[in-house]
């Protein structure tokens, strides 16, 4: 079903790297030290809109500082103080965020058939740690730092389209976030695969409500499921 494509572009955080686990590892102990009833989901929901707002208002700010400022704003919203050390802990935590269990093997399998591209709301330095966890060489890495804006800004998708057009590639965008990726990706003319990592949980978690209706072209609940569909065993073994 994916024969028309020769490249895959990926959102990284939420799709390949478990950013909710990474953020919750810092926010959880902090929040429950003041209010034990707070769950990780409560904290992620409080955090989601703050990160998106800061990325929109300060598009050239590097992601570690976005994380730190979003943490401070979340603390203000919840009435819980955030120290400079707390903010720095989250801001520097990206290289420690775990890859989803299926990401490495799925990427290796997909690499046998497609060029692989990253389109991520990240800075180059932070991504180096994540790239080491993913264990694959990407053909192109497009960061928010490079573009000077954060998704869902169309500039980011314009950078992706400019690259694939120059290379003569037909790209399929693969992402978890409807807000950051599928709504703006559709506006940019991209076909998309939704990796619905939260299929067994209600709500949007650390991702804001998309605010618009969008129907991705394909939906899978994991990268493993998508890789099996995109690179059938008969193809992978040839």
């Amino acid at each position: 079903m994916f024969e028309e494509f020769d490249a895959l572009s990926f959102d990284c955080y939420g799709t390949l790297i478990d950013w909710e686990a990474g953020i919750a590892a810092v926010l959880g102990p902090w929040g429950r030290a003041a209010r034990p009833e707070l769950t990780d989901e409560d904290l992620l929901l409080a955090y989601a809109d703050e990160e998106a707002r800061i990325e929109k208002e300060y598009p050239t700010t590097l992601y570690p500082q976005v994380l730190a400022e979003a943490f401070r704003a979340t603390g203000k919203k919840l009435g819980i103080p955030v120290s400079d050390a707390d903010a720095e802990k989250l801001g520097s935590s990206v290289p420690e965020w775990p890859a989803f269990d299926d990401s490495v093997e799925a990427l290796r399998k997909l690499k046998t058939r497609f060029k692989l591209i990253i389109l991520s709301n990240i800075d180059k330095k932070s991504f180096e740690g994540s790239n080491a966890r993913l264990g694959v060489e990407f053909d192109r890495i497009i960061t928010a730092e490079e573009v000077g804006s954060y998704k869902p800004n169309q500039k980011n998708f314009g950078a992706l389209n400019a690259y694939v057009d120059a290379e003569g590639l037909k790209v399929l965008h693969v992402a978890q976030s409807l807000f950051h990726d599928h709504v703006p990706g559709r506006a940019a003319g991209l076909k998309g695969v939704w990796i619905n990592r939260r299929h067994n949980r209600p709500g949007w978690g650390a991702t804001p409500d998309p605010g618009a209706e969008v129907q991705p072209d394909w939906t899978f609940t994991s990268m493993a499921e998508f890789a099996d569909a995109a690179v059938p065993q008969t193809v992978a073994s040839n």
Side-chain angles (χ1 to χ4, degrees), residues 159-172:
L160 172 62
N161 278 330
Y163 169 71
V164 297
D165 288 349
E167 295 293 318
L169 300 171
K170 179 69 172 178
V171 69
L172 176 64

Side-chain angles (χ1 to χ4, degrees), residues 130-190:
S130 300
N131 202 167
R133 291 179 180 274
L134 294 172
V136 70
E137 183 177 350
F138 292 95
D139 295 277
R140 178 75 165 92
I141 298 166
I142 303 172
T143 64
E145 177 182 10
E146 174 186 338
V147 179
S149 63
Y150 287 90
K151 297 179 295 182
N153 195 306
Q154 281 296 310
K155 286 175 62 178
N156 300 70
F157 294 90
L160 172 62
N161 278 330
Y163 169 71
V164 297
D165 288 349
E167 295 293 318
L169 300 171
K170 179 69 172 178
V171 69
L172 176 64
H173 191 55
V174 183
Q176 183 273 333
S177 176
L178 299 181
F179 172 84
H180 295 98
D181 289 273
H182 289 290
V183 171
R186 180 57 56 86
L190 296 171

Side-chain angles (χ1 to χ4, degrees), residues 5-233:
F5 304 101
D6 43 29
L8 304 172
S9 55
F10 293 92
D11 167 59
C12 183
Y13 300 94
T15 305
L16 305 175
I17 296 289
D18 191 346
W19 79 314
E20 290 191 342
I23 293 170
V26 179
L27 264 62
W30 160 83
R32 285 187 286 276
R35 292 171 52 186
E37 76 279 5
L38 289 173
T39 65
D40 286 351
E41 192 72 10
D42 293 331
L43 293 163
L44 292 172
L45 288 170
Y47 174 86
D49 289 338
E50 300 304 329
E51 181 179 301
R53 176 183 61 80
I54 290 166
E55 289 173 340
K56 182 176 181 179
E57 292 179 2
Y58 305 100
T60 60
T61 298
L62 295 184
Y63 192 57
Q65 190 61 31
V66 168
L67 288 168
E69 292 306 317
F71 194 176
R72 292 187 176 99
T74 302
K76 185 175 182 180
K77 178 189 289 186
L78 296 174
I80 305 174
V82 177
S83 69
D84 288 345
D86 290 330
E88 168 61 23
K89 185 175 182 179
L90 184 61
S92 62
S93 67
V94 175
E96 304 305 315
W97 294 359
F100 286 104
D101 290 344
D102 61 350
S103 292
V104 171
E105 184 57 35
L107 287 171
R108 287 175 180 167
K109 189 171 186 177
L110 293 165
K111 182 74 171 176
T112 66
R113 175 161 167 355
F114 301 95
K115 289 186 176 295
L116 306 184
I117 303 162
I118 287 289
L119 180 68
S120 180
N121 281 354
I122 194 64
D123 59 291
K124 291 168 64 176
K125 183 177 180 181
S126 296
F127 182 71
E128 288 174 1
S130 300
N131 202 167
R133 291 179 180 274
L134 294 172
V136 70
E137 183 177 350
F138 292 95
D139 295 277
R140 178 75 165 92
I141 298 166
I142 303 172
T143 64
E145 177 182 10
E146 174 186 338
V147 179
S149 63
Y150 287 90
K151 297 179 295 182
N153 195 306
Q154 281 296 310
K155 286 175 62 178
N156 300 70
F157 294 90
L160 172 62
N161 278 330
Y163 169 71
V164 297
D165 288 349
E167 295 293 318
L169 300 171
K170 179 69 172 178
V171 69
L172 176 64
H173 191 55
V174 183
Q176 183 273 333
S177 176
L178 299 181
F179 172 84
H180 295 98
D181 289 273
H182 289 290
V183 171
R186 180 57 56 86
L190 296 171
K191 289 190 175 181
V193 170
W194 184 22
I195 306 299
N196 186 8
R197 294 286 191 183
R198 291 182 57 89
H199 64 96
N200 56 355
R201 289 178 286 170
W204 302 107
T207 303
D209 186 314
E213 291 292 328
V214 63
Q215 182 61 52
D217 298 278
W218 295 274
T219 299
F220 299 93
T221 60
S222 69
M223 279 291 298
E225 185 182 12
F226 167 57
D228 286 345
V231 186
Q233 186 62 37

